Amino acid sequence: MAVLELPQWAALAPALILAGTALVLFLLDSINPHSTNRTLLAGVAVVGSLSSLAVAVWFTAAGVGATGIENYGVIDLMGGQFVVDQLALYFMIIVAIVTALVTVASHDYLRDHTYQAEYYSLVILAATGMSMMAASNSLVTIFIALELTSLPSYALVAILKDNRGSVEAGLKYFLIGALSSAIFVYGVSLVYGATGSLQLTDIAAVLESGDGAVGEMGGLLGLGILMLIGGIAFKTASVPFHFWAPEAYEGAPAPISAFLSSASKAAGFVLAFRVFTTAFPVAATTEAIGVDWTLAFVILAIVTMTVGNFAAATQENVKRMLAYSSIGHAGYVLIGLAALSAEGGELVMGAAMMHLLVYGFMNTGAFLFVALAEYWGVGRTFEDYNGLSQQAPFACAAMAVFMFSLAGVPPFGGFWSKYLLYTETINAAADNTILLVLAAALVVNSALSLYYYSRLVKALWIEEPILDRDRLAQPTGLYAAIIAAAVLTVVALPAFGPIADAALEAAAAVVA
Amino acid sequence: MMIEALIAVALLGALVTFVAPNRIAGKLAFAISLVPAALSLWLFTAFDGSGNALRGGELAFESQAAWIELGEHSISWFVGVDGISLPLVVLTTILCTLAIVSSWTPIDERESQFYGLILFIEANLIGVFTALDFFLWFVFWEAVLIPMYLLIGIWGGPRRKYAAIKFFVYTNVASLVMFGAFIALVFGLGDSVTSFALPEIAGAMLDGGPEGFFGLEGTTLASVVFVAMFLGFAVKVPIVPFHTWLPDAHVEAPTPASVLLAGVLLKMGTYALLRFNFTMFPEQVEMYAVPIAAIAVISVIYGAMLALAQTDLKRIVAYSSVSSMGYVILGLVAYTQFGVGGATFQMVSHGLISGLMFMAVGVIYNATHTRMVTDMSGLADRMPIAVGILIAGAFGYMGLPLMSGFYGEFTIFFGAFGSELLDYSPLFTAAAMFGIVIVAGYLLFALQRTVFGPYRLETDYEVGRAPLHDIAPMVVLLGLIILLGVAPSLIFDMITDAIDPIIQHGGDL
C-alpha cells in the first residue's frame, strides 16, 4: 500500500468540495451575520466551484473511472451507493462550470440584497446535490441527492421576498416539486417491490436473471418505471411536467433561472441516463414488463421539443421565451434515451451529453444576459431590448453568439452538438426506423427555433431603441460571466474533439 | 500553415477592430487587411500545386489535422488550395481591403463593429475557398451569413430589416437543403468513406457511387442529391427563379457590403457548384445538362431584361449580376476545358467588375444622395474621374476586349459552342450571347441618361469631386480588370490545370 494513497471517498472530491464550500459560507455568515461583504462571499463560492471543476477535470484527464486502465477503473463507494465513473465526472464538470458562472454573475445582481450568505450557500448546496446525483448509484442516494438539489432551489426561486412573482413562482415550484418527489418515491418503492433491490446494478442483475417472480410483477415494475420517468421529467422540465418551468424561471432571480435551467436540468438528465442504462437494460426489461421503455422517451422527446418550441415562438417576454426554449432543448436531449433501443444508441447518448455540455454554456450565458438586463432595469419584452447593442456592444455580441448557438447555426458549439445528435440518430435509425421521426422532428424544431432566437438578435442589433436610455453601467462580475460563457461557446468548436471523446467515454461507461 | 495564418490574421483582426474606438477603426481595419492581402499575393507567387484538389492533384499549402471522431465518419481540419481556389482567395483578400477603404466615406456610425464584421466575413470567405473537409467548409459557409445579415440589417437602407431577414431565411433554407442532401449522400456511400474529406468523397463517387440509403437506390439517391445540392447552391448564385433576395439585399446593403456580396459571396455558389455538383457527379451532369443550360440561359436573358426595366442605378447593377452568373452556369454545364475554365475565370472577373460598379454607384450616391437614373443628368461635368471609372466598368461588363470580362465571356461562349455533352449547345450559346446585347443596352441607356448631357440634379446637394480614398480602390480594381484582360494567362493557366482532370472524367470530351 502506498503511503499517500487516498481513501476511496476522496473520489467524490468534486462534490465534497462543494459541500465544504457551503459550510464555509455558513461559517462566515455566523461569524459576522450583518456583514455585507459580498465580494468575500461570492469569492468563496466561485473559488469553491472552480476547485470542484479543477478536480473533476483532473480526474477525467487522469482517467479515473475510465474503463480498461489498470488501477483506475470505476470506483465504487460506500457499498455501491455511489459510483465515480466518466459519466459522473462529466456531469460534475457541467455543474461546476455553471455554478462558477452563476456565482460570478450573482455578485452584481445581488448588490442590494439582504440574504447574501444564505443565497450563496443555497446555490452551492444545490450544486452539491447535483454533483451527488451524478455519482448516485442507488435509488435511495438518488432520491436524497434529488431532494438536496430541490429544497435549496425552492428557496432560491423565492428569495426575492418583496417580489410577488418570485414568491408565487417559488410556491408553485415547491408544490409541483413535492408532488413529483412523491411520484418518484412511489416509483422507487414499486421498483423495490418488484425486484427486491434498490441498487441500480442489482436491479439489472435481477431483471437479467430472468427470475420468474419478476415476470409476475411485470405490471408493477412497469408502473414503477413510468413513475420514475415522471420524477425525472419534472427535474428536466420535460412535457407533461414542464408547467412549473416558465413560471419559476420567470419569477426567479435571473442567475437562478440560469442555474436551474442549465445545471439542474443536466443533473436530471444524468439521473435519467444512469438509471435507465444501468438499472433497466432494454432487452431484459422489455421481457419483464412487456413494453419497450424507450418508446416512452420517443414520445416524450417529440412532444417536449414541439411544445417547447411552439410555445417559445409565441412569447413576448424574453425570459419566458428562454424558459420555453429550454424545454425544447430538453426534448433534444431526450433523443439520447430514446435511441438506446437501437444499435449505436450509445453514440446518440454521447451526442446528447455533448449537447448538454454546450447547452450549459450557451443557456447559462443567455439567462445571465437577461440578468444583466434586469440589473439595468430595461424591461422584459423583446421591444424593451431594442437597440441595446448601441450601449452594450460586447454583452450583445455575446448574446448573439448564444442565440445563434442555441438555434444551431454554425460555427458555434450548438451546431456541432445538434449535428452530431442528428447524424448519430440517423445512423441508429438503420436499426430502428422510428428514430427517423425523431431526427426529422429535431431538424424541424431547430429550424423553427431560429425564428424566435433571431428575433432577439434583431431586437438587440437591428431595431432602433424606442426610448433614450442613460448610460448603462457595466457590472464587472456579470460581464465577466457572460463573456466567459460566450468564449466557452466559441472555444467549444476547436476543442470539440476532446469534448466528444469525453462524452463518448462517459456514455460508454454506462451503456457498455 | 500559411492558410491558417491568413484566416487567423483576419479573425484576430476582427476582434481587435471590434474593441477599437470608432475613430480609428477604419484605418486600423485597413492596416490589418493588408496582411492577408499581401500574404495571399505571396501564396499566388509561391503556388506550386497541380491538378484538381478533388481528383488527386497536388495541393499547395495543404494541412490536415484530426478533429472529431464520432461514429463512423471522422471530421478533420483540412485546408489547401489548387488552381481553382487560389484566384478566388486572392480576389477575396484584395476585394476586402478595397471594400474597407471604400467604406470610409459612407459609414459614419458604429464603425468598429462594421469593420470588425467585414474582417470576420473575410476570414470565413477564405475558409470557404480553402476548406477541403465538408464539415469545415460548411461551418465557414454558414458563418458568412451572420455578419452579412448584420451588415445589411444595421447599416442598410430604409427597408433593411426586410432585406436582411429575406437574405438570411432564403440562404439558410437553401443551405439546409444542401446539407441534408450531402449527409444523405455520405451515408449512402456506406463503408467506402470514413471521413468527410472532399477528395475521399469525390473518389468514392467515381468508384461506383452510393449504394443506396433508406430504400432509395444508389443511382436515384445520386440524382436526388445532385438536384437538391444544385437547388441549394442555385439560391446562393443566384439563378432565376431563386434570385429575388438578391436585388433586395443589394439595394438595401451599404456599398461595401454590396461589393462583397456581388464580388465574393455569389462566387461561393458557383464555386460550390463546380466543386460538388460538377466534380462529383459527372453522370448526373450529363443527365441534367439540358435543363441546367436552359436555366442558365433564362437567367442571362431574364436577369438582363429585369436590369433593363430598372431606374435605380444600384438595382441595375444588382440584376446584371443575375445575368452574369448565368454565363458562369452555362460555362460549367458545357463541361469543356474552355467552358469550365472560362466560368472560373469569369467568377474572378465578375468579382472585380461588379465590385467596381458597386463602388462607383456608391461614390455617386455619396455625392448626389440619389440613385435614381431619372433624378440626375450630366454628372460627367462635376465628377469626371468617378464617372470615367463608372464608364470603364460598364465597358468591362459589356465585354470590351482587353478587359477581363471579354476574356471570361469569350472563353465561356467558345467552350459552350463546341460542347459535345450538351445537346443543342450552339443554340443555347447563341441565345445566351443575345444577353450581351441587352447588357450593352441597359448600361449605355443608364450611362447616357446619368452622366452625359447637361448637368441637372433633383436634390439639394452640391456635387463635387470624390475624395481620393474613394477613387483609389476603384483605380486598383480597374487596373486589375485590365491586367487580367491583357494577360489572362496569369490565372487561366492554373485554372485549366485544375479543370482538366474533371473534364477527362466528364464523358470523354
Side-chain angles (χ1 to χ4, degrees):
Chain A
M1 188 178 152
V3 183
L4 276 177
E5 193 167 302
L6 288 169
Q8 284 239 307
W9 53 262
L12 272 180
L16 296 176
I17 289 173
L18 287 173
T21 311
L23 296 180
V24 169
L25 284 165
F26 277 130
L27 194 65
L28 286 175
D29 190 45
S30 46
I31 291 171
N32 186 357
H34 301 294
S35 158
T36 45
N37 188 346
R38 56 198 179 93
T39 310
L40 175 68
L41 295 170
V44 169
V46 172
V47 168
S49 42
L50 285 181
S51 323
S52 165
L53 173 65
V55 173
V57 170
W58 171 42
F59 280 4
T60 312
V64 174
T67 38
I69 303 176
E70 214 176 327
N71 287 335
Y72 289 97
V74 179
I75 301 179
D76 273 331
L77 299 165
M78 310 186 187
Q81 298 295 303
F82 287 100
V83 61
V84 177
D85 55 6
Q86 293 274 300
L87 179 76
L89 290 171
Y90 186 82
F91 279 88
M92 284 173 179
I93 291 174
I94 300 182
V95 169
I97 290 174
V98 175
T99 313
L101 289 173
V102 167
T103 42
V104 169
S106 301
H107 177 253
D108 298 306
Y109 192 85
L110 285 184
R111 197 179 32 177
D112 303 320
H113 202 274
T114 342
Y115 300 101
Q116 304 261 346
E118 288 81 352
Y119 174 89
Y120 287 110
S121 41
L122 285 174
V123 168
I124 299 291
L125 270 182
T128 312
M130 295 169 194
S131 269
M132 289 292 201
M133 264 201 244
S136 302
N137 196 31
S138 129
L139 291 173
V140 176
T141 42
I142 283 176
F143 184 68
I144 293 174
L146 197 68
E147 289 302 294
L148 180 56
T149 310
S150 297
L151 291 173
S153 306
Y154 304 144
L156 283 169
V157 169
I159 204 162
L160 301 177
K161 286 199 334 186
D162 303 327
N163 178 328
R164 256 189 74 189
S166 173
V167 176
E168 214 177 292
L171 183 67
K172 196 162 184 175
Y173 186 27
F174 173 65
L175 287 177
I176 300 181
L179 178 70
S180 71
S181 288
I183 293 176
F184 188 81
V185 163
Y186 202 1
V188 169
S189 66
L190 290 181
V191 171
Y192 180 70
T195 60
S197 21
L198 285 169
Q199 206 165 314
L200 303 183
T201 35
D202 292 349
I203 296 175
V206 172
L207 287 174
E208 276 171 345
S209 69
D211 195 344
V214 179
E216 286 165 27
M217 302 242 217
L220 202 61
L221 181 65
L223 198 60
I225 291 178
L226 201 62
M227 288 182 152
L228 292 186
I229 293 180
I232 286 165
F234 164 75
K235 209 67 222 161
T236 55
S238 306
V239 176
F241 292 92
H242 69 288
F243 290 104
W244 61 273
E247 309 292 332
Y249 293 172
E250 193 193 352
I256 296 303
S257 315
F259 188 55
L260 289 183
S261 65
S262 308
S264 172
K265 183 165 284 185
F269 274 113
V270 68
L271 271 193
F273 289 154
R274 191 181 293 285
V275 169
F276 283 95
T277 51
T278 312
F280 305 111
V282 182
T285 317
T286 309
E287 203 173 315
I289 62 176
V291 190
D292 184 353
W293 56 258
T294 55
L295 190 66
F297 284 105
V298 170
I299 298 168
L300 213 57
I302 294 178
V303 175
T304 302
M305 65 175 97
T306 312
V307 168
N309 277 305
F310 272 92
T314 57
Q315 299 300 319
E316 278 307 315
N317 179 317
V318 175
K319 220 167 159 187
R320 283 185 83 86
M321 181 277 277
L322 286 177
Y324 278 111
S325 93
S326 92
I327 294 174
H329 280 272
Y332 304 149
V333 177
L334 283 172
I335 295 177
L337 281 166
L340 278 177
S341 55
E343 201 178 316
E346 73 276 2
L347 291 175
V348 184
M349 206 170 96
M353 287 186 199
M354 221 174 310
H355 189 63
L356 275 177
L357 178 67
V358 179
Y359 181 74
F361 313 138
M362 59 192 182
N363 189 59
T364 311
F367 271 109
L368 291 183
F369 182 86
V370 174
L372 185 62
E374 284 181 2
Y375 177 87
W376 286 329
V378 295
R380 306 181 142 228
T381 62
F382 281 91
E383 274 182 8
D384 294 326
Y385 280 55
N386 280 357
L388 265 184
S389 66
Q390 303 204 7
Q391 274 122 346
F394 293 105
C396 290
M399 189 61 171
V401 169
F402 300 140
M403 290 294 109
F404 283 123
S405 182
L406 281 167
V409 176
F412 305 112
F415 162 71
W416 288 92
S417 51
K418 265 192 197 170
Y419 158 71
L420 292 172
L421 194 55
Y422 170 73
T423 43
E424 293 311 331
T425 310
I426 293 268
N427 231 347
D431 203 48
N432 183 357
T433 34
I434 198 167
L435 294 177
L436 266 189
V437 182
L438 275 177
L442 171 69
V443 172
V444 172
N445 274 295
S446 289
L448 176 70
S449 71
L450 188 59
Y451 161 73
Y452 56 81
Y453 289 128
S454 66
R455 198 173 152 211
L456 190 58
V457 175
K458 181 165 153 264
L460 290 175
W461 282 93
I462 295 179
E463 302 286 349
E464 297 292 329
I466 312 173
L467 51 155
D468 283 333
R469 295 193 188 90
D470 297 335
R471 241 185 123 264
L472 295 172
Q474 311 231 326
T476 331
L478 266 168
Y479 255 80
I482 290 172
I483 302 293
V487 168
L488 285 171
T489 307
V490 176
V491 168
L493 184 60
F496 229 86
I499 293 177
D501 290 343
L504 275 188
E505 187 71 35
V510 286
V511 174
Chain B
M1 297 306 286
M2 291 312 292
I3 293 168
E4 284 85 347
L6 271 179
I7 298 173
V9 168
L11 265 186
L12 292 178
L15 271 182
V16 171
T17 312
F18 195 81
V19 295
N22 282 333
R23 193 166 35 80
I24 61 159
K27 309 280 189 298
L28 179 69
F30 170 66
I32 291 169
S33 75
L34 285 177
V35 178
L39 265 180
S40 67
L41 283 174
W42 181 81
L43 290 190
F44 188 76
T45 53
F47 177 71
D48 61 350
S50 68
N52 187 295
L54 271 54
R55 288 271 191 261
E58 253 330 281
L59 282 168
F61 317 110
E62 175 188 2
S63 68
Q64 189 167 11
W67 190 6
I68 302 172
E69 296 268 353
L70 184 71
E72 288 155 16
H73 302 100
S74 64
I75 297 169
S76 60
W77 170 274
F78 184 13
V79 291
V81 288
D82 65 359
I84 297 173
S85 41
L86 186 58
L88 291 167
V89 172
V90 178
L91 172 75
T92 306
T93 55
I94 291 180
L95 216 52
C96 281
T97 305
L98 299 178
I100 287 170
V101 178
S102 75
S103 19
W104 287 353
T105 307
I107 301 301
D108 51 7
E109 53 166 1
R110 301 164 88 177
E111 285 94 337
S112 53
Q113 295 163 21
F114 180 89
Y115 293 106
L117 287 175
I118 296 262
L119 286 172
F120 184 60
I121 287 199
E122 176 172 4
N124 288 307
L125 286 171
I126 297 170
V128 167
F129 293 129
T130 55
L132 287 166
D133 181 281
F134 175 73
F135 249 90
L136 188 63
W137 175 83
F138 187 74
V139 165
F140 285 126
W141 172 272
E142 286 288 281
V144 170
L145 284 185
I146 297 168
M148 190 45 93
Y149 166 73
L150 292 172
L151 282 176
I152 299 173
I154 300 177
W155 289 274
R159 288 170 69 242
R160 60 183 188 276
K161 288 172 203 165
Y162 170 78
I165 288 182
K166 192 169 175 181
F167 164 76
F168 194 88
V169 170
Y170 250 80
T171 47
N172 197 45
V173 169
S175 300
L176 273 184
V177 170
M178 173 269 291
F179 180 78
F182 197 80
I183 296 296
L185 176 72
V186 172
F187 277 120
L189 283 169
D191 297 336
S192 55
V193 289
T194 53
S195 77
F196 281 102
L198 294 180
E200 194 186 332
I201 296 170
M205 288 300 294
L206 279 191
D207 295 342
E211 299 160 5
F213 182 59
F214 278 116
L216 282 180
E217 276 188 38
T219 46
T220 327
L221 176 69
S223 292
V224 170
V225 170
F226 179 83
V227 172
M229 294 192 78
F230 187 85
L231 292 180
F233 297 136
V235 171
K236 199 79 151 200
V237 173
I239 300 171
V240 176
F242 306 109
H243 66 287
T244 61
W245 63 270
L246 179 99
D248 284 314
H250 267 317
V251 171
E252 299 307 322
T255 301
S258 300
V259 170
L260 290 183
L261 197 55
V264 195
L265 261 69
L266 305 187
K267 277 73 206 173
M268 287 165 61
T270 46
Y271 171 80
L273 275 175
L274 174 55
R275 273 273 191 256
F276 291 88
N277 287 53
F278 287 87
T279 302
M280 294 184 185
F281 300 84
E283 285 171 25
Q284 276 70 27
V285 171
E286 208 165 332
M287 248 194 291
Y288 295 107
V290 171
I292 294 174
I295 295 174
V297 171
I298 291 172
S299 284
V300 168
I301 305 287
Y302 186 67
M305 302 274 261
L306 284 173
L308 192 59
Q310 304 302 319
T311 52
D312 180 332
L313 272 181
K314 209 169 174 186
R315 257 177 194 277
I316 294 176
V317 182
Y319 277 112
S320 69
S321 291
V322 178
S323 171
S324 293
M325 298 315 279
Y327 292 134
V328 176
I329 306 292
L330 182 68
L332 288 177
V333 79
Y335 234 37
T336 56
Q337 189 190 48
F338 273 111
V340 181
T344 313
F345 187 89
Q346 171 79 349
M347 291 184 209
V348 179
S349 157
H350 179 257
L352 298 172
I353 299 178
S354 64
L356 174 65
M357 291 295 277
F358 274 114
M359 278 184 198
V361 172
V363 168
I364 290 177
Y365 179 75
N366 290 339
T368 62
H369 292 257
T370 178
R371 284 191 309 250
M372 288 298 147
V373 173
T374 46
D375 286 351
M376 45 191 156
S377 162
L379 285 181
D381 285 349
R382 300 296 175 99
M383 34 194 332
I385 298 175
V387 162
I389 292 171
L390 175 72
I391 295 171
F395 281 130
Y397 236 120
M398 292 177 231
L400 205 72
L402 294 188
M403 294 174 98
S404 63
F406 170 75
Y407 192 77
E409 285 169 21
F410 173 76
T411 44
I412 287 174
F413 293 140
F414 188 74
F417 205 81
S419 169
E420 287 171 22
L421 175 102
L422 179 61
D423 296 332
Y424 317 112
S425 59
L427 207 63
F428 281 119
T429 315
M433 281 166 112
F434 186 66
I436 295 186
V437 180
I438 315 179
V439 172
Y442 65 74
L443 284 175
L444 290 174
F445 190 56
L447 287 180
Q448 190 245 330
R449 295 213 283 176
T450 50
V451 304
F452 302 122
Y455 175 73
R456 175 183 64 84
L457 186 68
E458 279 179 13
T459 56
D460 301 331
Y461 289 90
E462 196 54 41
V463 174
R465 295 191 178 206
L468 179 67
H469 60 77
D470 278 354
I471 300 293
M474 298 197 290
V475 172
V476 174
L477 276 180
L478 194 57
L480 288 173
I481 291 166
I482 294 172
L483 179 68
L484 282 188
V486 175
S489 61
L490 272 180
I491 62 170
F492 198 71
D493 288 348
M494 63 169 72
I495 290 174
T496 43
D497 184 39
I499 296 291
D500 283 343
I502 308 178
I503 305 304
Q504 281 161 14
H505 282 285
D508 305 323
L509 292 172

